[in-house]
């Protein structure tokens, strides 16, 4: 201890200011050393695969408990999936700011962030895991947290809806960009007279093999419809749905608000096909199943509410670790008390690599996983 | 024993007489059930030059079994040895008899039991005949041995599975198999006593010894005659009726007869020409992927012949025609299955009034472009075709752009004949009123319908054919790259219409076409064929996955196809790019 309080640089007669500065730096160093060697009860490093909101939240909780973390993110930035959003439901708060706050917390001495780094292989060793990244560097750690997340459904797989073929057909992420820029325009660059949202694209769809509900699209469409109406009060907005699932706190109220205050029209029916009109708009064919009538409608923009699928990383790592669950997601030990655990001791799961989740849920799940890891490492 | 008669020849003689009288009766009945058009064709073509190719094919198929050999050489040998061997045995036997009696009268059964009746013949010619006959018998016996093995281990003749037979067929098969060993034994016994055998029978006879041969000779010949008689007697009622019916069928087909919408006498000939070889079982994706083993053509035909087809067998079929492509008899099985699906009695309360007000368009000098219902679900294809028309400067009228009328084939495949006819009538009217000369379609289902079911006086082409023509004329120019392409043959386009090379020619002009394990007529159905409305989705997906595996095995960059339905099927399951030929053309335009 004493030794450490000595000045680091050996200068026999320092000036008072210099002494003060050195003392300060010594203090800083000593604090960090203390963190590393004295107070730290968990000197073992935890690897987190995936730098989304779940992974970042887990990292900050782990460091609060003095546990060093090495974080891998395949993309050049952290928290991209959330950052791509504009405002998030139900309170219309700023998604960018949320990610900013979380990313700042990653600037921590105990956290090593490896961006552009993909884990390609996971080797299980006695009481440890060796992760091999795409640069061929091995990392051996006692505990791993898989938070490799989801990927938005590629609407090109539903070719009948014309995504990627007609300019007027966009997905919900593209609309989010337009909303952020305050430039919701049709394919000719004009203000749209009508916008049609279509729910359940790539979710609850036997044909594409996704039987599950992505659970965030209903409320997202309600939120986006309101935002569109706020930016373009004269635009007609329709939402085509199978059934609306507004399960969260404040969601139902938002749905009511959309109808009462913003005159958003909700039509129960699927859109069977889209075609372009001579003036660059989109013609849709559908059925209003409450009226029992087929209908055709021309719209400036057709917004496809794309669901969540397991990301390629999730699918690959799930397979290599033998944790494949349904639809390429990974499987936790049990959905109730051991949802952050896997069959393998020391291998933990968090976030949307398990199933579709909304942001708060993923953040909470990351936090819960961190606590499970600490419990495991203390043993 | 030089007399010309012995009671043991009776079973054979009666059997032969019964065989031919039954066959004549049956064929007469069936021919009388031909419909008017079929009868007209027969009257017109009965004694024309078509007889020669018909006879040629009869020889090739009836005796040499060329198609079976092409499918599998060992299986071909088995069939050939029995058919050709037996035919030669009868013919040479006949020649031998005629030669021996030198024009003197003899009883008709002598040829079959020659060794028994003509014993004291030690001339050189008799010796030569004996050797030839033994050689032929050996040839047949080798085939019979294979057949016995096949019934136990189907793989010995190169088949995955063999047909499951009913008791009647099985017993008849045993009587067929026993004919030739019995002949061998009885001739050997006679050879032991009379020294008139060839290399095989004489040596076997010598082994028997005179005393033993004396005891067993007559019982053996009697058994031989009974086996023959039994087989011949029951032949017209069994699957072995194919031996004669196939020859008739070949002849009728050469005269231009085909299956009609309703079953006719021709259908009876086709049903009766099935030998239950089981090649269709090996080719059926429902068997290989889903383990559904009771709906294959061989069983359906058997059930129809027995007049008890069950609903499942007629409905549960993809109509991918993979069975038909390898059928050695060339039975039009899908047409027969469709006849059985007839739902005319089902009142569906259809109302086609809404199609009446669809208007035609004056399309003189334009081609008609018919996308088809399925292409409406794959707008990438229709958009690409529009771009191609614009590029080559071809004016077009997209007939089903706004108001779509189905070509009718999906209904037809399900047995809704009247409803399909209604749609065909309206579409024909629209096409005729447009006064266009060419119809281009993107959907192989519509293509097959327009070509085969419509009887249109204008040219009907699939878009791959159209693109090939434009490439050859130099109106379209493509950039060739190193793109690795796997081409999936759609059932309706390939096996249905014989369009195999056109899409390949286009693809070879823009990339590198990979060789697949199952392609051309062996291509695997994508599972989405509209022929089947019974399969559950997960079963369909299993069929699709097998087809997709075949395509991805060679690791292509892009999977190409020429059918919107196949495209949709694959698109749903993989993120790998699946593109129509037309889309690839537009992407690689120079």
């Amino acid at each position: 201890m004493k030794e450490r309080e000595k000045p680091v640089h050996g200068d026999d007669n320092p000036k008072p200011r210099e002494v003060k500065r050195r003392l300060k730096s010594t203090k800083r160093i000593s604090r960090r050393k203390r963190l590393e060697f004295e107070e730290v009860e968990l000197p073992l490093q935890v690897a987190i695969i995936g730098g989304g909101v779940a992974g970042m939240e887990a990292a900050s909780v782990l460091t609060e408990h003095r546990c060093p973390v090495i974080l891998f993110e395949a993309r050049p930035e952290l928290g991209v999936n959330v950052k791509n959003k504009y405002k998030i439901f139900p309170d219309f708060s700023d998604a960018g700011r949320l990610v900013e706050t979380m990313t700042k917390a990653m600037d921590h001495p105990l956290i090593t962030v490896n961006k552009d780094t993909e884990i390609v292989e996971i080797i299980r060793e006695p009481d440890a895991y060796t992760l091999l990244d795409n640069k061929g560097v091995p990392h051996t750690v006692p505990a791993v947290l898989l938070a490799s997340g989801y990927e938005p459904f590629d609407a090109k797989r539903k070719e009948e809806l014309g995504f990627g073929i007609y300019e007027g057909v966009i997905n919900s992420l593209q609309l989010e960009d337009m909303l952020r820029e305050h430039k919701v325009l049709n394919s000719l660059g004009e203000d749209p007279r009508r916008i049609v949202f279509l729910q359940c694209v790539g979710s609850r769809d036997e044909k594409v093999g996704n039987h599950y509900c992505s659970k965030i699209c209903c409320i997202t469409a309600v939120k986006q419809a309101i935002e569109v109406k706020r930016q373009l009060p004269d635009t007609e907005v329709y939402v085509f749905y199978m059934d609306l699932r507004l399960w969260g706190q404040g969601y139902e109220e938002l749905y009511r608000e959309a109808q009462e205050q913003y005159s958003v029209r909700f039509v129960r029916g699927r859109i069977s096909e889209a075609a372009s009109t001579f003036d660059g708009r989109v013609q849709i064919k559908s059925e209003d199943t409450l009226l029992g009538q087929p209908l055709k409608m021309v719209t400036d923009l057709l917004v496809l509410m794309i669901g969540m699928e397991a990301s390629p990383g999730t699918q690959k790592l799930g397979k290599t670790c033998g944790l494949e669950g349904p639809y390429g997601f990974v499987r936790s030990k049990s959905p109730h008390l051991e949802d952050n655990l896997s069959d393998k001791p020391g291998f933990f799961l968090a976030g949307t690599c398990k199933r579709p989740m909304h942001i708060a849920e993923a953040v909470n799940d990351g936090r819960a996983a961190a606590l499970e890891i600490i419990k495991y490492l203390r043993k | 024993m030089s007399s010309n008669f012995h009671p043991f020849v009776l079973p054979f003689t009666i059997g032969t007489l019964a065989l031919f009288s039954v066959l004549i009766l049956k064929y007469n009945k069936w021919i009388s059930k031909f419909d008017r058009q079929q009868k007209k064709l027969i009257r017109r073509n009965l004694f024309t030059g078509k007889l020669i190719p018909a006879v040629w094919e009869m020889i090739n198929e009836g005796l040499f079994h060329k198609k079976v050999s092409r499918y599998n050489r060992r299986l071909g040998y088995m069939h050939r040895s029995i058919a050709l061997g037996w035919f030669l045995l009868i013919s040479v036997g006949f020649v031998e008899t005629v030669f021996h009696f030198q024009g003197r009268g003899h009883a008709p059964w002598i040829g079959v039991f020659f060794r028994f009746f003509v014993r004291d013949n030690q001339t050189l010619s008799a010796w030569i005949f004996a050797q030839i006959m033994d050689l032929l018998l050996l040839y047949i016996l080798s085939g019979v041995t294979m057949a016995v093995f096949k019934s136990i281990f189907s793989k010995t003749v190169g088949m995955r599975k063999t047909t499951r037979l009913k008791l009647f067929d099985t017993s008849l098969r045993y009587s067929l198999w026993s004919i030739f060993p019995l002949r061998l034994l009885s001739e050997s016994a006679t050879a032991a006593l009379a020294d008139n055998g060839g290399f095989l029978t004489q040596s076997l006879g010598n082994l028997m010894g005179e005393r033993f041969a004396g005891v067993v000779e007559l019982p053996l010949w009697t058994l031989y005659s009974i086996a023959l008689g039994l087989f011949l007697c029951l032949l017209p009622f069994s699957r072995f009726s194919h031996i004669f019916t196939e020859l008739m069928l070949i002849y009728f087909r050469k005269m231009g007869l085909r299956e009609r919408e309703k079953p006719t006498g021709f259908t009876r000939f086709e049903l009766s020409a099935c030998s239950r070889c089981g090649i269709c079982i090996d080719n059926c994706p429902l068997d290989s992927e889903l383990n559904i083993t009771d709906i294959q053509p061989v069983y359906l035909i058997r059930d129809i012949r027995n007049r008890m087809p069950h609903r499942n067998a007629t409905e549960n079929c993809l109509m991918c025609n993979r069975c038909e492509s390898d059928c050695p008899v060339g039975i039009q099985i899908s047409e027969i299955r469709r006849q059985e699906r007839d739902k005319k009695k089902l009142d569906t309360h259809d109302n086609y009034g809404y199609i009446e007000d669809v208007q035609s368009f004056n399309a003189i000098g334009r081609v008609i472009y018919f996308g088809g219902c399925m292409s409406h679900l794959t707008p990438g294809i229709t958009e690409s075709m529009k771009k191609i028309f614009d590029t080559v400067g071809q004016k077009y009228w997209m007939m089903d752009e706004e108001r779509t009328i189905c070509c009718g084939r999906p209904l037809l495949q399900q047995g809704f004949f009247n409803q399909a006819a209604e749609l065909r009538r309206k579409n024909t009217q629209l096409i005729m009123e447009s006064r266009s000369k060419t119809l281009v379609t993107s959907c192989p289902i519509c293509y097959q319908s327009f070509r085969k079911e419509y009887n249109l006086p204008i040219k009907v082409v699939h878009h791959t054919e159209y693109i090939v023509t434009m490439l050859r004329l130099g109106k379209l120019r493509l950039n060739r790259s190193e793109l690795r392409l796997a081409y999936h043959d759609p059932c309706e386009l390939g096996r249905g219409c014989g369009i195999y090379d056109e899409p390949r020619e286009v693809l070879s002009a823009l990339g590198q076409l990979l060789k697949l394990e199952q392609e051309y007529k062996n291509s695997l159905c994508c599972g989405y064929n509209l022929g089947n409305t019974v399969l559950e989705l997960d079963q369909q997906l299993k069929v699709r996955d097998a087809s997709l595996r075949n395509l991805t095995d060679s690791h292509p960059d892009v999977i190409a196809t020429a059918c919107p339905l196949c495209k949709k099927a694959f698109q749903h399951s993989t993120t790998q790019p699946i593109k129509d030929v037309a889309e690839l053309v537009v992407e690689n335009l120079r």
Side-chain angles (χ1 to χ4, degrees):
Chain A
M1 280 292 230
K2 271 180 191 168
E3 241 181 18
R4 256 180 240 145
E5 275 171 11
K6 270 186 179 173
V8 178
H9 306 287
D11 195 347
D12 292 336
N13 291 310
K15 287 170 189 166
R17 249 174 87 190
E18 182 70 359
V19 169
K20 209 175 172 185
R21 196 187 65 80
R22 277 187 194 168
L23 265 174
K24 216 174 163 187
S25 82
T26 319
K27 244 185 200 165
R28 203 168 71 222
I29 289 166
S30 75
R31 191 134 158 237
R32 193 190 283 180
K33 297 261 176 186
R34 263 209 325 260
L35 279 174
E36 284 179 14
F37 302 111
E38 291 173 23
E39 290 183 21
V40 169
E41 293 160 69
L42 305 163
L44 305 161
Q45 203 178 27
V46 174
I48 298 181
I49 305 171
V53 288
M56 286 196 284
E57 183 63 19
S60 21
V61 175
L62 284 168
T63 50
E64 274 166 28
H65 288 80
R66 314 275 179 262
C67 177
V69 166
I70 178 162
L71 183 75
F72 301 98
E73 170 57 49
R75 285 188 268 198
E77 271 184 283
L78 295 174
V80 175
N81 274 340
V82 175
K83 208 186 213 168
N84 282 342
K85 315 280 183 312
Y86 171 42
K87 286 182 174 164
I88 48 182
F89 54 81
D91 59 348
F92 291 91
S93 60
D94 197 286
R97 199 161 298 155
L98 174 84
V99 176
E100 205 181 312
T101 316
M102 296 189 81
T103 318
K104 254 185 201 158
M106 293 302 100
D107 193 17
H108 188 282
L110 282 183
I111 301 180
T112 321
V113 178
N114 290 320
K115 291 174 193 169
D116 280 320
T117 310
E118 206 184 325
I119 297 301
V120 288
E121 213 183 327
I122 300 176
I123 304 148
R124 195 176 168 192
E125 286 168 31
D127 297 327
Y129 291 89
T130 299
L131 314 181
L132 215 63
D133 68 22
N134 54 347
K135 291 152 196 156
V137 185
H139 309 267
T140 306
V141 286
V144 178
L145 174 64
L146 187 69
S148 45
Y150 77 97
E151 180 186 58
F153 176 79
D154 178 10
K156 279 186 185 155
R157 272 161 66 193
K158 298 287 292 174
E159 195 181 338
E160 62 269 36
L161 300 173
F163 181 75
I165 295 165
Y166 307 127
E167 281 182 40
V169 183
I170 58 171
N171 66 25
S172 41
L173 292 176
Q174 287 169 310
L175 181 71
E176 200 71 28
D177 287 341
M178 289 180 168
L179 288 167
R180 187 191 301 117
E181 306 292 324
H182 285 261
K183 269 187 187 165
V184 180
L185 302 170
N186 69 10
S187 61
L188 302 172
E190 301 158 348
D191 279 352
R193 279 169 281 172
R194 183 181 281 161
I195 294 182
V196 169
F197 288 86
L198 174 63
Q199 298 284 22
C200 297
V201 176
S203 315
R204 307 174 70 199
D205 187 338
E206 283 193 4
K207 283 276 169 75
V208 296
N210 293 344
H211 295 236
Y212 59 90
C213 166
S214 288
K215 96 182 194 181
I216 52 145
C217 332
C218 282
I219 180 63
T220 306
V222 171
K223 180 211 75 161
Q224 290 187 334
I226 291 176
E227 284 176 304
V228 166
K229 282 299 244 186
R230 282 184 187 165
Q231 292 185 13
L232 301 160
D234 296 331
T235 302
E236 278 183 41
V237 178
Y238 286 85
V239 179
F240 282 75
Y241 65 93
M242 288 204 266
D243 55 318
L244 283 165
R245 301 184 165 183
L246 297 155
W247 45 276
Q249 192 182 33
Y251 293 5
E252 187 67 30
E253 288 85 339
L254 215 55
Y255 171 45
R256 190 176 270 260
E257 196 182 320
Q259 294 172 86
E260 288 175 354
Q261 280 188 34
Y262 295 99
S263 322
V264 175
R265 283 172 222 181
F266 289 83
V267 183
R268 196 184 79 178
R270 300 284 300 156
I271 292 175
S272 60
E273 61 180 83
S276 71
T277 61
F278 66 94
D279 58 352
R281 301 167 83 202
V282 182
Q283 187 199 54
I284 54 164
K285 288 183 189 163
S286 180
E287 184 186 344
D288 187 327
T289 54
L290 291 177
L291 296 178
Q293 273 183 351
L295 68 88
K296 272 186 187 175
M297 189 185 270
V298 174
T299 173
D300 286 277
L301 285 177
L302 172 61
V303 184
L304 308 179
M305 303 307 298
I306 47 176
M308 295 164 100
E309 284 191 314
S311 70
T314 298
Q315 291 187 33
K316 208 169 88 186
L317 294 177
K319 226 175 246 174
T320 49
C321 301
L323 295 171
E324 280 172 287
Y327 313 108
F329 290 107
V330 290
R331 164 173 51 80
S332 66
K333 201 166 173 187
S334 91
H336 306 293
L337 293 177
E338 296 163 311
D339 195 31
N340 294 108
L341 273 53
S342 72
D343 300 342
K344 297 169 179 48
F347 200 93
F348 300 86
L349 313 169
T352 49
C353 64
K354 292 189 288 189
R355 66 192 78 98
M357 288 180 185
H358 63 82
I359 296 169
E361 212 180 340
V363 170
N364 284 340
D365 203 43
R367 202 172 295 153
L371 295 176
E372 287 287 354
I373 293 172
I374 289 157
K375 207 160 89 186
Y376 170 76
L377 292 178
R378 284 225 169 103
K379 265 183 197 167
Chain B
M1 277 219 215
S2 58
S3 104
N4 274 350
F5 179 77
H6 192 283
F8 78 76
V9 304
L10 280 175
F12 161 75
T13 316
I14 294 167
T16 317
L17 285 174
L19 166 70
F20 285 107
S21 22
V22 171
L23 278 185
I24 288 168
L25 281 175
K26 275 198 165 194
Y27 290 170
N28 237 328
K29 196 173 141 203
W30 293 344
I31 289 172
S32 71
K33 278 188 181 166
F34 280 0
D35 70 9
R36 195 178 297 159
Q37 202 207 356
Q38 289 171 330
K39 281 182 180 161
K40 209 171 109 190
L41 276 169
I42 290 184
R43 271 199 299 278
R44 200 192 299 157
N45 295 325
L46 194 54
F47 295 109
T48 54
K50 296 201 172 162
L51 196 61
I52 298 159
V55 170
W56 177 242
E57 199 185 326
M58 285 179 199
I59 294 170
N60 272 335
E61 290 309 319
L63 297 180
F64 289 93
H65 286 88
K66 279 217 166 145
K67 277 187 199 155
V68 185
S69 311
R70 219 174 298 144
Y71 176 74
N72 183 300
R73 281 175 63 188
R74 274 174 290 172
L75 198 66
Y77 177 83
M78 186 189 103
H79 282 82
R80 189 166 53 240
S81 62
I82 299 177
L84 182 66
W86 202 3
F87 176 77
L88 288 177
L89 202 67
I90 295 166
S91 319
V92 177
F94 180 73
V95 171
E96 187 184 16
T97 320
V98 172
F99 188 81
H100 177 76
F101 287 95
Q102 303 281 347
R104 278 171 288 139
H106 60 87
W109 52 79
I110 295 286
V112 183
F113 308 104
F114 187 79
R115 294 276 172 283
F116 181 81
F117 290 110
V118 184
R119 310 177 74 104
D120 44 357
N121 190 357
Q122 300 297 341
T123 58
L124 177 67
S125 57
W127 183 82
I128 293 172
F129 270 119
Q131 303 302 334
I132 295 174
M133 294 295 270
D134 268 16
L135 196 66
L136 290 172
L137 192 58
L138 188 66
Y139 182 43
I140 300 175
L141 282 170
S142 69
V144 172
T145 318
M146 278 180 91
V148 175
F149 263 106
K150 178 194 169 227
S151 72
I152 307 166
F153 317 102
S154 54
K155 280 192 180 128
T156 43
V157 290
M159 284 174 76
R160 249 180 344 101
K161 289 193 179 171
T162 190
T163 321
R164 294 188 312 274
L165 295 171
K166 291 259 166 88
L167 183 66
F168 176 69
D169 276 328
T170 322
S171 49
L172 207 64
R173 185 170 67 180
Y174 291 135
S175 82
L176 173 66
W177 289 349
S178 63
I179 289 172
F180 303 101
L182 280 172
R183 180 178 173 125
L184 174 72
L185 290 175
S186 34
E187 285 193 342
S188 304
T190 305
L193 299 170
D195 265 355
N196 62 354
F199 66 94
L200 194 64
T201 44
Q202 193 62 58
S203 30
L204 194 62
N206 294 345
L207 267 177
M208 273 183 194
E210 253 178 65
R211 259 180 79 186
F212 179 66
V215 179
V216 295
E217 187 194 15
L218 208 56
L220 278 172
W221 280 106
T222 314
L223 274 177
Y224 170 55
S225 174
I226 289 174
L228 263 176
L230 193 71
F231 178 73
L232 295 176
C233 222
L234 297 179
L235 181 143
F237 308 100
S238 73
R239 66 193 183 113
F240 293 106
S241 63
H242 80 91
I243 298 171
F244 295 97
T245 316
E246 190 186 348
L247 304 177
M248 298 293 285
L249 184 66
I250 290 170
Y251 185 39
F252 288 139
R253 213 179 278 143
K254 275 280 180 287
M255 286 196 277
L257 267 64
R258 293 289 180 274
E259 282 298 337
R260 317 279 293 163
E261 202 169 273
K262 280 185 202 159
T264 59
F266 183 72
T267 316
R268 301 310 303 180
F269 275 101
E270 289 224 293
L271 295 175
S272 172
C274 170
S275 66
R276 291 180 209 167
C277 63
I279 288 177
C280 50
I281 303 176
D282 277 2
N283 274 2
C284 181
L286 293 194
D287 177 273
S288 54
E289 301 311 319
L290 306 175
N291 226 357
I292 298 173
T293 55
D294 56 349
I295 55 95
Q296 282 72 21
V298 50
Y299 301 122
L300 179 72
I301 287 177
R302 181 193 66 200
D303 292 349
I304 300 176
R305 264 176 82 171
N306 299 340
R307 322 245 167 189
M308 47 173 195
H310 56 103
R311 211 79 224 119
N312 191 32
T314 53
E315 298 293 324
N316 197 358
C317 167
L318 289 161
M319 306 286 246
C320 73
N321 266 13
R322 198 162 180 257
C323 47
E324 204 175 305
S325 72
D326 270 327
C327 176
V329 193
I331 298 170
Q332 288 179 277
I333 177 61
S334 292
E335 272 72 7
I336 294 176
R337 197 186 288 270
R338 202 161 73 191
Q339 292 163 357
E340 292 299 317
R341 286 182 176 184
D342 190 349
K343 295 189 183 69
K344 268 184 192 150
K345 285 179 194 137
L346 200 72
D347 191 1
T348 49
H349 303 286
D350 297 312
N351 177 7
Y352 285 102
Y354 74 97
I355 60 174
E356 283 315 318
D357 58 335
V358 178
Q359 297 292 313
S360 187
F361 179 87
N362 185 348
I364 299 175
R366 293 172 189 252
V367 298
I368 302 176
Y369 177 50
F370 191 91
C373 316
M374 290 305 139
S375 306
H376 277 265
L377 300 180
T378 50
I381 300 177
T382 48
E383 292 297 305
S384 302
M385 274 318 288
K386 288 177 186 171
K387 228 165 266 173
I388 288 171
F389 286 132
D390 290 342
T391 311
V392 301
Q394 173 68 59
K395 283 187 177 168
Y396 63 93
W397 167 48
M398 187 167 174
M399 189 173 145
D400 59 343
E401 183 148 36
E402 274 297 310
R403 310 257 325 245
T404 313
I405 300 176
C406 168
C407 66
R409 187 167 165 81
L411 281 167
L412 194 74
Q413 292 283 62
Q414 291 307 322
F416 295 101
F417 300 138
N418 295 340
Q419 290 86 336
E422 191 69 12
L423 298 176
R424 284 205 299 271
R425 183 190 57 74
K426 181 65 187 176
N427 275 326
T428 310
Q429 183 203 336
L430 291 177
I431 292 166
M432 296 316 293
E433 279 173 12
S434 77
R435 296 201 274 164
S436 166
K437 292 274 191 321
T438 315
L439 174 73
V440 182
T441 172
S442 280
C443 173
I445 302 168
C446 308
Y447 176 59
Q448 178 147 315
S449 186
F450 284 128
R451 241 177 67 166
K452 295 184 176 166
E453 289 147 17
Y454 268 73
N455 201 14
L456 290 171
I458 67 170
K459 202 173 169 190
V460 178
V461 292
H462 185 250
H463 72 237
T464 51
E465 292 177 276
Y466 181 80
I467 293 170
V468 162
T469 317
M470 290 303 129
L471 282 176
R472 288 180 189 156
L473 289 175
K475 287 192 176 178
L476 280 178
R477 287 160 163 276
L478 300 178
N479 282 321
R480 198 171 190 286
S481 64
E482 286 306 300
L483 201 65
R484 287 162 60 83
L485 297 159
Y487 175 66
H488 168 77
D489 280 294
C491 318
E492 299 265 338
L493 192 65
R495 285 186 290 267
C497 299
I499 306 286
Y500 294 111
D501 299 327
E502 284 82 352
R504 287 189 167 78
E505 189 177 331
V506 178
L507 293 176
S508 313
L510 57 84
Q512 183 197 346
L513 197 59
L514 302 173
K515 214 180 133 18
L516 306 177
E517 199 179 321
Q518 305 285 341
E519 54 179 345
Y520 291 93
K521 73 177 175 54
N522 288 329
S523 143
L524 293 160
C525 175
C526 71
Y528 275 33
N529 198 315
L530 296 175
N532 195 323
T533 51
V534 182
L535 280 185
E536 299 283 330
L537 184 71
D538 61 322
Q539 293 178 308
Q540 265 183 313
L541 300 189
K542 272 187 198 159
V543 176
R544 174 197 69 192
D545 291 343
S547 181
L548 197 58
R549 267 197 305 278
N550 174 50
L551 290 163
T552 46
D553 271 353
S554 48
H555 304 291
D557 299 323
V558 176
I559 294 172
T561 184
C563 171
L565 210 54
C566 302
K567 188 185 175 201
K568 278 218 85 62
F570 297 138
Q571 217 170 27
H572 283 153
S573 91
T574 170
T575 45
Q576 175 149 27
I578 317 284
K579 283 175 185 160
D580 189 273
V581 171
E583 291 174 287
L584 281 162
V585 166
V586 168
E587 281 171 22
N588 293 285
L589 277 179
R590 199 190 284 173

